Amino acid sequence: METMIESGSRFIEWIASNSNAVLLLAAALPSVFLLNGGQLLRYGALAVFFVALAWIRFGSDSLAGAVVVTILNSLLVTFAAITIRKRLVQTEDRLEAITSAIRELELAEERRQTFSARRSRTARST
């Protein structure tokens, strides 16, 4: 147990002393907010985070790595926006269909009431 704590503290000290590693982790941070999204967004966010960790692990923690991770985050956010837009359009279509059905029911009820009123007048006059 102490070995894990010691290695974890060494890793944290190394990250704190290495500004490029902090830059890479900061570049991967926005993808964390997409973990509550759908399955593809969750996997994409984890992939971006693992790319950042791999970039740090293999010692290539430079500004280029941060740029790559930022581009991956941008693509992931764009995909999330497109997905949300599709869901919004589907919801609007469903809402429009429900509104149309309600209008049709209201018109049918008005016609039924008008027919009933005419029928009762006709029955009274004869």
Side-chain angles (χ1 to χ4, degrees):
M1 186 73 162
E2 291 181 26
T3 309
M4 289 175 53
I5 294 172
E6 289 174 1
S7 63
S9 66
R10 279 185 278 159
F11 180 70
I12 291 172
E13 288 176 12
W14 178 79
I15 285 182
S17 67
N18 192 345
S19 63
N20 288 334
V22 173
L23 181 66
L24 271 171
L25 290 176
L29 184 65
S31 64
V32 172
F33 296 113
L34 297 174
L35 287 175
N36 285 336
Q39 187 175 6
L40 288 175
L41 291 178
R42 205 172 302 136
Y43 289 148
L46 289 174
V48 168
F49 188 70
F50 286 131
V51 165
L53 288 179
W55 207 286
I56 291 170
R57 174 71 176 112
F58 294 121
S60 301
D61 49 342
S62 64
L63 185 60
V67 169
V68 167
V69 171
T70 303
I71 289 171
L72 289 174
N73 270 331
S74 299
L75 291 173
L76 191 62
V77 168
T78 302
F79 177 73
I82 290 170
T83 303
I84 290 171
R85 176 69 181 148
K86 285 181 183 178
R87 286 185 193 167
L88 182 62
V89 167
Q90 289 175 350
T91 304
E92 287 175 347
D93 290 343
R94 288 180 190 151
L95 184 61
E96 190 174 309
I98 290 170
T99 305
S100 175
I102 290 173
R103 283 187 198 137
E104 289 175 10
L105 287 172
E106 287 175 346
L107 286 173
E109 179 62 21
E110 287 178 17
R111 289 179 186 150
R112 187 194 63 79
Q113 288 177 357
T114 304
F115 179 73
S116 294
R118 286 184 185 168
R119 191 170 182 188
S120 65
R121 283 187 211 152
T122 307
R124 282 189 227 156
S125 63
T126 55

PDB file of all heavy atoms in Angstrom, residues 33-66:
ATOM      1  N   PHE A  33     -16.218  17.038 -19.109  1.00  0.00           N
ATOM      2  CA  PHE A  33     -17.607  17.477 -19.019  1.00  0.00           C
ATOM      3  C   PHE A  33     -18.530  16.670 -19.932  1.00  0.00           C
ATOM      4  O   PHE A  33     -19.735  16.721 -19.778  1.00  0.00           O
ATOM      5  CB  PHE A  33     -17.714  18.967 -19.345  1.00  0.00           C
ATOM      6  CG  PHE A  33     -16.987  19.829 -18.357  1.00  0.00           C
ATOM      7  CD1 PHE A  33     -15.870  20.546 -18.730  1.00  0.00           C
ATOM      8  CD2 PHE A  33     -17.415  19.897 -17.043  1.00  0.00           C
ATOM      9  CE1 PHE A  33     -15.197  21.339 -17.818  1.00  0.00           C
ATOM     10  CE2 PHE A  33     -16.751  20.676 -16.116  1.00  0.00           C
ATOM     11  CZ  PHE A  33     -15.636  21.403 -16.513  1.00  0.00           C
ATOM     12  N   LEU A  34     -17.957  15.941 -20.872  1.00  0.00           N
ATOM     13  CA  LEU A  34     -18.765  15.131 -21.781  1.00  0.00           C
ATOM     14  C   LEU A  34     -18.961  13.702 -21.290  1.00  0.00           C
ATOM     15  O   LEU A  34     -19.584  12.894 -21.966  1.00  0.00           O
ATOM     16  CB  LEU A  34     -18.115  15.122 -23.170  1.00  0.00           C
ATOM     17  CG  LEU A  34     -18.020  16.486 -23.847  1.00  0.00           C
ATOM     18  CD1 LEU A  34     -17.243  16.373 -25.141  1.00  0.00           C
ATOM     19  CD2 LEU A  34     -19.394  17.066 -24.096  1.00  0.00           C
ATOM     20  N   LEU A  35     -18.456  13.389 -20.106  1.00  0.00           N
ATOM     21  CA  LEU A  35     -18.587  12.025 -19.589  1.00  0.00           C
ATOM     22  C   LEU A  35     -20.033  11.668 -19.263  1.00  0.00           C
ATOM     23  O   LEU A  35     -20.383  10.504 -19.199  1.00  0.00           O
ATOM     24  CB  LEU A  35     -17.710  11.837 -18.347  1.00  0.00           C
ATOM     25  CG  LEU A  35     -16.209  11.759 -18.630  1.00  0.00           C
ATOM     26  CD1 LEU A  35     -15.440  11.701 -17.316  1.00  0.00           C
ATOM     27  CD2 LEU A  35     -15.878  10.556 -19.485  1.00  0.00           C
ATOM     28  N   ASN A  36     -20.887  12.660 -19.063  1.00  0.00           N
ATOM     29  CA  ASN A  36     -22.298  12.386 -18.797  1.00  0.00           C
ATOM     30  C   ASN A  36     -23.111  12.286 -20.076  1.00  0.00           C
ATOM     31  O   ASN A  36     -24.316  12.077 -20.019  1.00  0.00           O
ATOM     32  CB  ASN A  36     -22.899  13.478 -17.904  1.00  0.00           C
ATOM     33  CG  ASN A  36     -22.451  13.338 -16.471  1.00  0.00           C
ATOM     34  OD1 ASN A  36     -22.081  12.260 -16.039  1.00  0.00           O
ATOM     35  ND2 ASN A  36     -22.479  14.431 -15.743  1.00  0.00           N
ATOM     36  N   GLY A  37     -22.481  12.429 -21.213  1.00  0.00           N
ATOM     37  CA  GLY A  37     -23.187  12.351 -22.487  1.00  0.00           C
ATOM     38  C   GLY A  37     -23.488  10.908 -22.853  1.00  0.00           C
ATOM     39  O   GLY A  37     -23.468   9.999 -22.026  1.00  0.00           O
ATOM     40  N   GLY A  38     -23.754  10.693 -24.106  1.00  0.00           N
ATOM     41  CA  GLY A  38     -24.050   9.347 -24.586  1.00  0.00           C
ATOM     42  C   GLY A  38     -22.817   8.465 -24.566  1.00  0.00           C
ATOM     43  O   GLY A  38     -21.722   8.874 -24.173  1.00  0.00           O
ATOM     44  N   GLN A  39     -22.997   7.252 -25.015  1.00  0.00           N
ATOM     45  CA  GLN A  39     -21.917   6.275 -24.966  1.00  0.00           C
ATOM     46  C   GLN A  39     -20.739   6.695 -25.844  1.00  0.00           C
ATOM     47  O   GLN A  39     -19.585   6.591 -25.425  1.00  0.00           O
ATOM     48  CB  GLN A  39     -22.451   4.921 -25.414  1.00  0.00           C
ATOM     49  CG  GLN A  39     -21.471   3.796 -25.248  1.00  0.00           C
ATOM     50  CD  GLN A  39     -22.085   2.447 -25.584  1.00  0.00           C
ATOM     51  OE1 GLN A  39     -23.214   2.367 -26.044  1.00  0.00           O
ATOM     52  NE2 GLN A  39     -21.342   1.398 -25.351  1.00  0.00           N
ATOM     53  N   LEU A  40     -21.006   7.191 -27.041  1.00  0.00           N
ATOM     54  CA  LEU A  40     -19.911   7.610 -27.920  1.00  0.00           C
ATOM     55  C   LEU A  40     -19.153   8.801 -27.350  1.00  0.00           C
ATOM     56  O   LEU A  40     -17.920   8.870 -27.443  1.00  0.00           O
ATOM     57  CB  LEU A  40     -20.452   7.948 -29.306  1.00  0.00           C
ATOM     58  CG  LEU A  40     -20.909   6.768 -30.151  1.00  0.00           C
ATOM     59  CD1 LEU A  40     -21.530   7.245 -31.455  1.00  0.00           C
ATOM     60  CD2 LEU A  40     -19.737   5.847 -30.437  1.00  0.00           C
ATOM     61  N   LEU A  41     -19.874   9.741 -26.745  1.00  0.00           N
ATOM     62  CA  LEU A  41     -19.205  10.892 -26.131  1.00  0.00           C
ATOM     63  C   LEU A  41     -18.359  10.464 -24.937  1.00  0.00           C
ATOM     64  O   LEU A  41     -17.251  10.975 -24.736  1.00  0.00           O
ATOM     65  CB  LEU A  41     -20.237  11.930 -25.691  1.00  0.00           C
ATOM     66  CG  LEU A  41     -20.963  12.661 -26.805  1.00  0.00           C
ATOM     67  CD1 LEU A  41     -21.995  13.620 -26.218  1.00  0.00           C
ATOM     68  CD2 LEU A  41     -19.987  13.425 -27.673  1.00  0.00           C
ATOM     69  N   ARG A  42     -18.861   9.521 -24.173  1.00  0.00           N
ATOM     70  CA  ARG A  42     -18.108   9.019 -23.027  1.00  0.00           C
ATOM     71  C   ARG A  42     -16.809   8.362 -23.488  1.00  0.00           C
ATOM     72  O   ARG A  42     -15.736   8.633 -22.952  1.00  0.00           O
ATOM     73  CB  ARG A  42     -18.981   8.014 -22.268  1.00  0.00           C
ATOM     74  CG  ARG A  42     -18.629   7.856 -20.838  1.00  0.00           C
ATOM     75  CD  ARG A  42     -19.634   6.998 -20.090  1.00  0.00           C
ATOM     76  NE  ARG A  42     -20.981   7.568 -20.198  1.00  0.00           N
ATOM     77  CZ  ARG A  42     -22.061   6.855 -20.443  1.00  0.00           C
ATOM     78  NH1 ARG A  42     -21.995   5.567 -20.586  1.00  0.00           N
ATOM     79  NH2 ARG A  42     -23.243   7.439 -20.514  1.00  0.00           N
ATOM     80  N   TYR A  43     -16.913   7.500 -24.505  1.00  0.00           N
ATOM     81  CA  TYR A  43     -15.710   6.840 -25.023  1.00  0.00           C
ATOM     82  C   TYR A  43     -14.754   7.852 -25.652  1.00  0.00           C
ATOM     83  O   TYR A  43     -13.534   7.739 -25.512  1.00  0.00           O
ATOM     84  CB  TYR A  43     -16.078   5.769 -26.050  1.00  0.00           C
ATOM     85  CG  TYR A  43     -16.729   4.546 -25.450  1.00  0.00           C
ATOM     86  CD1 TYR A  43     -17.673   3.828 -26.165  1.00  0.00           C
ATOM     87  CD2 TYR A  43     -16.404   4.104 -24.177  1.00  0.00           C
ATOM     88  CE1 TYR A  43     -18.278   2.698 -25.630  1.00  0.00           C
ATOM     89  CE2 TYR A  43     -17.011   2.986 -23.624  1.00  0.00           C
ATOM     90  CZ  TYR A  43     -17.940   2.289 -24.362  1.00  0.00           C
ATOM     91  OH  TYR A  43     -18.528   1.184 -23.823  1.00  0.00           O
ATOM     92  N   GLY A  44     -15.289   8.841 -26.324  1.00  0.00           N
ATOM     93  CA  GLY A  44     -14.442   9.877 -26.916  1.00  0.00           C
ATOM     94  C   GLY A  44     -13.706  10.682 -25.863  1.00  0.00           C
ATOM     95  O   GLY A  44     -12.520  10.984 -26.013  1.00  0.00           O
ATOM     96  N   ALA A  45     -14.405  11.028 -24.788  1.00  0.00           N
ATOM     97  CA  ALA A  45     -13.766  11.787 -23.708  1.00  0.00           C
ATOM     98  C   ALA A  45     -12.658  10.964 -23.049  1.00  0.00           C
ATOM     99  O   ALA A  45     -11.570  11.482 -22.764  1.00  0.00           O
ATOM    100  CB  ALA A  45     -14.812  12.203 -22.677  1.00  0.00           C
ATOM    101  N   LEU A  46     -12.932   9.691 -22.837  1.00  0.00           N
ATOM    102  CA  LEU A  46     -11.898   8.823 -22.251  1.00  0.00           C
ATOM    103  C   LEU A  46     -10.712   8.672 -23.200  1.00  0.00           C
ATOM    104  O   LEU A  46      -9.558   8.649 -22.762  1.00  0.00           O
ATOM    105  CB  LEU A  46     -12.484   7.464 -21.895  1.00  0.00           C
ATOM    106  CG  LEU A  46     -13.447   7.450 -20.703  1.00  0.00           C
ATOM    107  CD1 LEU A  46     -14.077   6.070 -20.541  1.00  0.00           C
ATOM    108  CD2 LEU A  46     -12.724   7.863 -19.442  1.00  0.00           C
ATOM    109  N   ALA A  47     -10.991   8.589 -24.490  1.00  0.00           N
ATOM    110  CA  ALA A  47      -9.907   8.466 -25.473  1.00  0.00           C
ATOM    111  C   ALA A  47      -9.022   9.709 -25.466  1.00  0.00           C
ATOM    112  O   ALA A  47      -7.789   9.603 -25.507  1.00  0.00           O
ATOM    113  CB  ALA A  47     -10.482   8.232 -26.868  1.00  0.00           C
ATOM    114  N   VAL A  48      -9.636  10.883 -25.394  1.00  0.00           N
ATOM    115  CA  VAL A  48      -8.852  12.125 -25.347  1.00  0.00           C
ATOM    116  C   VAL A  48      -7.985  12.145 -24.097  1.00  0.00           C
ATOM    117  O   VAL A  48      -6.800  12.491 -24.152  1.00  0.00           O
ATOM    118  CB  VAL A  48      -9.788  13.356 -25.393  1.00  0.00           C
ATOM    119  CG1 VAL A  48      -9.037  14.626 -25.064  1.00  0.00           C
ATOM    120  CG2 VAL A  48     -10.437  13.473 -26.763  1.00  0.00           C
ATOM    121  N   PHE A  49      -8.557  11.757 -22.981  1.00  0.00           N
ATOM    122  CA  PHE A  49      -7.795  11.744 -21.734  1.00  0.00           C
ATOM    123  C   PHE A  49      -6.640  10.748 -21.802  1.00  0.00           C
ATOM    124  O   PHE A  49      -5.517  11.049 -21.384  1.00  0.00           O
ATOM    125  CB  PHE A  49      -8.730  11.423 -20.562  1.00  0.00           C
ATOM    126  CG  PHE A  49      -8.077  11.573 -19.224  1.00  0.00           C
ATOM    127  CD1 PHE A  49      -7.739  12.823 -18.746  1.00  0.00           C
ATOM    128  CD2 PHE A  49      -7.796  10.468 -18.452  1.00  0.00           C
ATOM    129  CE1 PHE A  49      -7.134  12.976 -17.512  1.00  0.00           C
ATOM    130  CE2 PHE A  49      -7.195  10.600 -17.218  1.00  0.00           C
ATOM    131  CZ  PHE A  49      -6.857  11.860 -16.742  1.00  0.00           C
ATOM    132  N   PHE A  50      -6.884   9.559 -22.365  1.00  0.00           N
ATOM    133  CA  PHE A  50      -5.820   8.557 -22.472  1.00  0.00           C
ATOM    134  C   PHE A  50      -4.741   8.980 -23.473  1.00  0.00           C
ATOM    135  O   PHE A  50      -3.567   8.662 -23.286  1.00  0.00           O
ATOM    136  CB  PHE A  50      -6.384   7.184 -22.816  1.00  0.00           C
ATOM    137  CG  PHE A  50      -7.072   6.525 -21.660  1.00  0.00           C
ATOM    138  CD1 PHE A  50      -8.328   5.979 -21.806  1.00  0.00           C
ATOM    139  CD2 PHE A  50      -6.470   6.450 -20.420  1.00  0.00           C
ATOM    140  CE1 PHE A  50      -8.970   5.371 -20.741  1.00  0.00           C
ATOM    141  CE2 PHE A  50      -7.092   5.851 -19.338  1.00  0.00           C
ATOM    142  CZ  PHE A  50      -8.348   5.313 -19.503  1.00  0.00           C
ATOM    143  N   VAL A  51      -5.137   9.693 -24.522  1.00  0.00           N
ATOM    144  CA  VAL A  51      -4.129  10.219 -25.453  1.00  0.00           C
ATOM    145  C   VAL A  51      -3.228  11.203 -24.726  1.00  0.00           C
ATOM    146  O   VAL A  51      -1.997  11.180 -24.887  1.00  0.00           O
ATOM    147  CB  VAL A  51      -4.811  10.874 -26.679  1.00  0.00           C
ATOM    148  CG1 VAL A  51      -3.836  11.735 -27.455  1.00  0.00           C
ATOM    149  CG2 VAL A  51      -5.410   9.812 -27.586  1.00  0.00           C
ATOM    150  N   ALA A  52      -3.823  12.061 -23.902  1.00  0.00           N
ATOM    151  CA  ALA A  52      -3.014  13.016 -23.138  1.00  0.00           C
ATOM    152  C   ALA A  52      -2.077  12.293 -22.168  1.00  0.00           C
ATOM    153  O   ALA A  52      -0.896  12.635 -22.055  1.00  0.00           O
ATOM    154  CB  ALA A  52      -3.922  13.981 -22.387  1.00  0.00           C
ATOM    155  N   LEU A  53      -2.591  11.268 -21.480  1.00  0.00           N
ATOM    156  CA  LEU A  53      -1.743  10.515 -20.555  1.00  0.00           C
ATOM    157  C   LEU A  53      -0.639   9.764 -21.292  1.00  0.00           C
ATOM    158  O   LEU A  53       0.503   9.702 -20.817  1.00  0.00           O
ATOM    159  CB  LEU A  53      -2.588   9.543 -19.734  1.00  0.00           C
ATOM    160  CG  LEU A  53      -3.479  10.164 -18.662  1.00  0.00           C
ATOM    161  CD1 LEU A  53      -4.278   9.083 -17.953  1.00  0.00           C
ATOM    162  CD2 LEU A  53      -2.647  10.949 -17.658  1.00  0.00           C
ATOM    163  N   ALA A  54      -0.966   9.191 -22.446  1.00  0.00           N
ATOM    164  CA  ALA A  54       0.047   8.479 -23.227  1.00  0.00           C
ATOM    165  C   ALA A  54       1.114   9.450 -23.715  1.00  0.00           C
ATOM    166  O   ALA A  54       2.308   9.128 -23.721  1.00  0.00           O
ATOM    167  CB  ALA A  54      -0.603   7.764 -24.404  1.00  0.00           C
ATOM    168  N   TRP A  55       0.679  10.622 -24.131  1.00  0.00           N
ATOM    169  CA  TRP A  55       1.628  11.634 -24.606  1.00  0.00           C
ATOM    170  C   TRP A  55       2.578  12.006 -23.473  1.00  0.00           C
ATOM    171  O   TRP A  55       3.787  12.157 -23.684  1.00  0.00           O
ATOM    172  CB  TRP A  55       0.863  12.868 -25.091  1.00  0.00           C
ATOM    173  CG  TRP A  55       1.589  13.641 -26.128  1.00  0.00           C
ATOM    174  CD1 TRP A  55       2.667  14.439 -25.940  1.00  0.00           C
ATOM    175  CD2 TRP A  55       1.305  13.695 -27.524  1.00  0.00           C
ATOM    176  NE1 TRP A  55       3.069  14.990 -27.124  1.00  0.00           N
ATOM    177  CE2 TRP A  55       2.247  14.553 -28.106  1.00  0.00           C
ATOM    178  CE3 TRP A  55       0.342  13.117 -28.322  1.00  0.00           C
ATOM    179  CZ2 TRP A  55       2.252  14.842 -29.450  1.00  0.00           C
ATOM    180  CZ3 TRP A  55       0.347  13.410 -29.667  1.00  0.00           C
ATOM    181  CH2 TRP A  55       1.301  14.264 -30.221  1.00  0.00           C
ATOM    182  N   ILE A  56       2.046  12.131 -22.250  1.00  0.00           N
ATOM    183  CA  ILE A  56       2.883  12.445 -21.083  1.00  0.00           C
ATOM    184  C   ILE A  56       3.787  11.259 -20.756  1.00  0.00           C
ATOM    185  O   ILE A  56       4.983  11.431 -20.501  1.00  0.00           O
ATOM    186  CB  ILE A  56       1.996  12.785 -19.864  1.00  0.00           C
ATOM    187  CG1 ILE A  56       1.286  14.118 -20.089  1.00  0.00           C
ATOM    188  CG2 ILE A  56       2.817  12.850 -18.594  1.00  0.00           C
ATOM    189  CD1 ILE A  56       0.214  14.415 -19.055  1.00  0.00           C
ATOM    190  N   ARG A  57       3.231  10.060 -20.787  1.00  0.00           N
ATOM    191  CA  ARG A  57       3.980   8.859 -20.396  1.00  0.00           C
ATOM    192  C   ARG A  57       5.178   8.604 -21.295  1.00  0.00           C
ATOM    193  O   ARG A  57       6.239   8.197 -20.837  1.00  0.00           O
ATOM    194  CB  ARG A  57       3.032   7.647 -20.420  1.00  0.00           C
ATOM    195  CG  ARG A  57       3.683   6.327 -20.184  1.00  0.00           C
ATOM    196  CD  ARG A  57       4.138   6.180 -18.737  1.00  0.00           C
ATOM    197  NE  ARG A  57       4.680   4.861 -18.520  1.00  0.00           N
ATOM    198  CZ  ARG A  57       5.961   4.622 -18.273  1.00  0.00           C
ATOM    199  NH1 ARG A  57       6.809   5.617 -18.191  1.00  0.00           N
ATOM    200  NH2 ARG A  57       6.388   3.401 -18.100  1.00  0.00           N
ATOM    201  N   PHE A  58       5.013   8.827 -22.573  1.00  0.00           N
ATOM    202  CA  PHE A  58       6.109   8.552 -23.503  1.00  0.00           C
ATOM    203  C   PHE A  58       7.049   9.732 -23.661  1.00  0.00           C
ATOM    204  O   PHE A  58       7.902   9.739 -24.539  1.00  0.00           O
ATOM    205  CB  PHE A  58       5.556   8.111 -24.857  1.00  0.00           C
ATOM    206  CG  PHE A  58       4.843   6.796 -24.779  1.00  0.00           C
ATOM    207  CD1 PHE A  58       3.516   6.693 -25.146  1.00  0.00           C
ATOM    208  CD2 PHE A  58       5.484   5.671 -24.309  1.00  0.00           C
ATOM    209  CE1 PHE A  58       2.849   5.483 -25.067  1.00  0.00           C
ATOM    210  CE2 PHE A  58       4.831   4.448 -24.224  1.00  0.00           C
ATOM    211  CZ  PHE A  58       3.512   4.353 -24.603  1.00  0.00           C
ATOM    212  N   GLY A  59       6.908  10.744 -22.813  1.00  0.00           N
ATOM    213  CA  GLY A  59       7.869  11.825 -22.766  1.00  0.00           C
ATOM    214  C   GLY A  59       7.738  12.859 -23.858  1.00  0.00           C
ATOM    215  O   GLY A  59       8.617  13.697 -24.012  1.00  0.00           O
ATOM    216  N   SER A  60       6.696  12.824 -24.586  1.00  0.00           N
ATOM    217  CA  SER A  60       6.523  13.803 -25.660  1.00  0.00           C
ATOM    218  C   SER A  60       5.627  14.946 -25.204  1.00  0.00           C
ATOM    219  O   SER A  60       4.841  15.473 -25.968  1.00  0.00           O
ATOM    220  CB  SER A  60       5.898  13.137 -26.891  1.00  0.00           C
ATOM    221  OG  SER A  60       6.705  12.098 -27.339  1.00  0.00           O
ATOM    222  N   ASP A  61       5.718  15.291 -23.944  1.00  0.00           N
ATOM    223  CA  ASP A  61       4.843  16.315 -23.394  1.00  0.00           C
ATOM    224  C   ASP A  61       5.352  17.704 -23.790  1.00  0.00           C
ATOM    225  O   ASP A  61       6.164  18.316 -23.137  1.00  0.00           O
ATOM    226  CB  ASP A  61       4.739  16.177 -21.879  1.00  0.00           C
ATOM    227  CG  ASP A  61       6.092  16.038 -21.215  1.00  0.00           C
ATOM    228  OD1 ASP A  61       7.054  15.706 -21.924  1.00  0.00           O
ATOM    229  OD2 ASP A  61       6.172  16.269 -20.004  1.00  0.00           O
ATOM    230  N   SER A  62       4.858  18.169 -24.908  1.00  0.00           N
ATOM    231  CA  SER A  62       5.272  19.472 -25.416  1.00  0.00           C
ATOM    232  C   SER A  62       4.036  20.253 -25.826  1.00  0.00           C
ATOM    233  O   SER A  62       2.908  19.803 -25.675  1.00  0.00           O
ATOM    234  CB  SER A  62       6.202  19.288 -26.609  1.00  0.00           C
ATOM    235  OG  SER A  62       5.500  18.654 -27.656  1.00  0.00           O
ATOM    236  N   LEU A  63       4.274  21.395 -26.377  1.00  0.00           N
ATOM    237  CA  LEU A  63       3.181  22.234 -26.849  1.00  0.00           C
ATOM    238  C   LEU A  63       2.435  21.555 -27.994  1.00  0.00           C
ATOM    239  O   LEU A  63       1.214  21.685 -28.113  1.00  0.00           O
ATOM    240  CB  LEU A  63       3.723  23.591 -27.297  1.00  0.00           C
ATOM    241  CG  LEU A  63       2.693  24.626 -27.710  1.00  0.00           C
ATOM    242  CD1 LEU A  63       1.763  24.926 -26.552  1.00  0.00           C
ATOM    243  CD2 LEU A  63       3.378  25.883 -28.171  1.00  0.00           C
ATOM    244  N   ALA A  64       3.141  20.785 -28.799  1.00  0.00           N
ATOM    245  CA  ALA A  64       2.484  20.069 -29.903  1.00  0.00           C
ATOM    246  C   ALA A  64       1.473  19.067 -29.366  1.00  0.00           C
ATOM    247  O   ALA A  64       0.388  18.905 -29.935  1.00  0.00           O
ATOM    248  CB  ALA A  64       3.526  19.357 -30.758  1.00  0.00           C
ATOM    249  N   GLY A  65       1.800  18.411 -28.281  1.00  0.00           N
ATOM    250  CA  GLY A  65       0.864  17.476 -27.664  1.00  0.00           C
ATOM    251  C   GLY A  65      -0.384  18.187 -27.167  1.00  0.00           C
ATOM    252  O   GLY A  65      -1.503  17.689 -27.330  1.00  0.00           O
ATOM    253  N   ALA A  66      -0.202  19.348 -26.582  1.00  0.00           N
ATOM    254  CA  ALA A  66      -1.357  20.122 -26.112  1.00  0.00           C
ATOM    255  C   ALA A  66      -2.228  20.555 -27.278  1.00  0.00           C
ATOM    256  O   ALA A  66      -3.457  20.544 -27.185  1.00  0.00           O
ATOM    257  CB  ALA A  66      -0.891  21.334 -25.315  1.00  0.00           C
TER     258      ALA A  66
END
